[in-house]
Amino acid sequence: MTNNRTHALPSKGTGAEDRNLQQATIYRILLAVSFVHLFNDSIQAVIPAIFPILKENMLLSFAQIGWISFALNMTSSVIQPIIGYAADRKPRPILLPLGMCCTFLGVLLLAYANNYVLVLFSVILVGFGSAAFHPEGMRVAHMAAGLRKGLSQSIFQVGGNAGQALGPMLTKWIFIPFGQIGALGFTIFAAAGIAVQSYVARWYQQMLNDGYTFRKKAAARSLDPARSKSILTATIILVFLVFVRSWYGASIGSYYSFYLMENYSMKLDDAQVYIFMYLAAGAVGTFFGGPLADRFGRRNLILLSMVGTVPFALALPFVSQFWAAILLLIGGFILLSSFSVTVIYAQMLYPGNIGTVSGLITGLAFGLGGIGSLVIGNLIDIMGITTVFIACGFLPLLGLLALLLPGDEKLEQWASE
């Protein structure tokens, strides 16, 4: 644990003093935002977890399921860069507890929603809560990181991925036995999140009052046109890669349980265990991704996480139940090992604009992944689930575009100038 001497940056002081005061890593804050990330994303995981129940109760098509996923992803994602941009200009710690209040209302309504429109509205509320949390949450993680930025991102992101991994087990333990009303129990998670976020927001506000500033605001940087063009190109490639990763992840998280039930005559609660294994392995991969990137390079890790998934993704539709479980474990670990690394890479492209960049990578890119989920749902209705899953296996091949990203040496040079 960090020692508790001053960890805020005074408004006046020498550069050497500023650097010394930012070196402490505030683990209690990192763990707090990581736990809230777990609460937030476990509530988001309620949405796909409840898909089979909603499909049966409301006689929904796969396309309608895709629209629910689309509404969640677009609401929680597209406005994240906007909130992040605003936070970079004027931090708003109050958004942390307010976002969880919105999530509380959304999950409460979801428990009692008795028609498709109300389901969509409740999902949108949950999405707004998530959108308010992520940019400011990442800024808090950055503030509390000290010099251990990679570790802080791994701690923060593993909370979210662990929350997502709970989704399939929520179906098995809660929604199959209790049905839709089981969502009511997640108001407890949201209430806990409100309490923790209130504590974090007070710490965040105190840091700002003491004069903490993020180093190297983008407005102060003077970049030549060639450098600006290279950074823009790298950003587009990075967002596209996260989009592809999210699209493939949506095919597994939202629809693979239906594939298992159709092709292996598997019961729903058994199918959810497979999804849990994939997401849990991804959470472990997220935690180890930072150290692996430190050893092998950020760009290399992003490349390997995508391309290394290809053989497992291609083989998945053709193997037995036993080997499907093995492939899901390995593929989930490899694919999501770059989860926190892509965020760090983007933050190094735009030093100082932590909220904007974080919102762009985890927000807008995941929103585009929501479009992928919608497309997949419609394609399943038209072509059948087996054909679509075979086609989805080729998606990680697009990770070869990571070869066009600047290497770590160039990235660090840009970030330090």
Side-chain angles (χ1 to χ4, degrees):
M1 297 286 282
T2 179
N3 75 46
N4 288 323
R5 71 184 183 87
T6 307
H7 42 255
L9 200 63
S11 55
K12 294 181 181 181
T14 67
E17 289 173 340
D18 289 352
R19 284 193 297 273
N20 289 335
L21 290 171
Q22 292 188 88
Q23 286 179 1
T25 302
I26 318 299
Y27 286 102
R28 59 186 172 83
I29 297 298
L30 284 176
L31 291 174
V33 293
S34 181
F35 274 114
V36 175
H37 203 180
L38 187 150
F39 297 154
N40 180 87
D41 284 27
S42 65
I43 291 172
Q44 273 195 269
V46 167
I47 311 302
I50 209 172
F51 282 170
I53 307 300
L54 294 175
K55 189 176 188 300
E56 181 179 348
N57 291 349
M58 299 183 183
L59 303 177
L60 304 180
S61 68
F62 281 110
Q64 287 175 305
I65 292 294
W67 276 109
I68 298 173
S69 180
F70 175 80
L72 175 67
N73 279 278
M74 292 301 287
T75 308
S76 67
S77 304
V78 170
I79 64 173
Q80 274 195 48
I82 300 171
I83 293 176
Y85 179 84
D88 285 334
R89 271 82 196 146
K90 182 176 176 57
R92 293 169 174 83
I94 192 63
L95 283 178
L96 293 171
L98 284 182
M100 289 305 296
C101 288
C102 193
T103 299
F104 180 94
L105 292 175
V107 75
L108 179 64
L109 179 60
L110 180 63
Y112 294 102
N114 58 5
N115 61 65
Y116 187 61
V117 173
L118 281 178
V119 169
L120 286 175
F121 181 65
S122 64
V123 164
I124 287 171
L125 284 176
V126 172
F128 275 127
S130 180
F133 164 70
H134 280 95
E136 289 287 18
M138 287 200 185
R139 283 169 60 85
V140 169
H142 189 275
M143 293 170 78
L147 297 178
R148 310 194 71 178
K149 305 301 183 188
L151 175 64
S152 74
Q153 275 302 316
S154 290
I155 292 174
F156 178 74
Q157 298 293 354
V158 78
N161 282 7
Q164 292 172 21
L166 289 175
M169 305 314 292
L170 301 180
T171 302
K172 180 180 177 68
W173 294 332
I174 296 177
F175 295 119
I176 291 177
F178 300 104
Q180 187 176 338
I181 194 66
L184 189 62
F186 292 90
T187 57
I188 298 172
F189 286 85
I194 293 169
V196 177
Q197 289 290 63
S198 298
Y199 167 76
V200 172
R202 286 194 296 271
W203 177 85
Y204 185 1
Q205 187 61 61
Q206 185 60 52
M207 290 284 283
L208 297 175
N209 292 343
D210 288 344
Y212 183 98
T213 56
F214 290 90
R215 74 175 179 88
K216 216 182 248 200
K217 289 291 183 184
R221 303 173 77 205
S222 179
L223 302 180
D224 63 81
R227 171 83 62 84
S228 297
K229 183 178 180 181
S230 296
I231 291 175
L232 177 60
T233 300
T235 304
I236 293 171
I237 293 172
L238 197 63
V239 169
F240 181 75
L241 291 175
V242 175
F243 163 46
V244 170
R245 187 180 64 199
S246 301
W247 193 333
Y248 181 75
S251 73
I252 301 295
S254 297
Y255 302 107
Y256 191 63
S257 58
F258 296 107
Y259 177 87
L260 290 170
M261 288 187 287
E262 179 174 315
N263 288 272
Y264 297 103
S265 300
M266 195 177 292
K267 293 181 180 179
L268 175 58
D269 55 346
D270 293 329
Q272 295 304 309
V273 176
Y274 281 68
I275 312 302
F276 170 75
M277 288 191 294
Y278 171 80
L279 295 173
V284 176
T286 296
F287 184 77
F288 286 102
L292 288 172
D294 289 339
R295 181 175 179 82
F296 300 107
R298 298 178 187 88
R299 184 186 66 175
N300 292 340
L301 195 283
I302 294 171
L303 174 65
L304 289 172
S305 74
M306 297 287 287
V307 177
T309 305
V310 172
F312 306 102
L314 291 176
L316 186 60
F318 303 102
V319 298
S320 66
Q321 295 180 40
F322 172 79
W323 285 108
I326 300 299
L327 295 182
L328 286 169
L329 286 171
I330 300 173
F333 180 93
I334 295 175
L335 184 66
L336 292 178
S337 63
S338 64
F339 195 97
S340 61
V341 178
T342 50
V343 175
I344 297 169
Y345 192 101
Q347 289 175 350
M348 294 182 72
L349 287 174
Y350 298 94
N353 284 326
I354 305 301
T356 307
V357 170
S358 300
L360 182 68
I361 295 301
T362 63
L364 182 58
F366 278 108
L368 295 174
I371 296 176
S373 180
L374 176 61
V375 171
I376 290 171
N378 280 275
L379 289 176
I380 289 174
D381 282 336
I382 297 169
M383 303 168 60
I385 197 165
T386 301
T387 302
V388 171
F389 261 97
I390 292 172
C392 285
F394 290 92
L395 283 172
L397 269 175
L398 294 170
L400 288 169
L401 288 173
L403 289 169
L404 302 178
L405 290 172
D408 282 38
E409 185 176 340
K410 176 70 70 175
L411 183 67
E412 289 169 6
Q413 177 188 338
W414 289 353
S416 63
E417 291 178 357

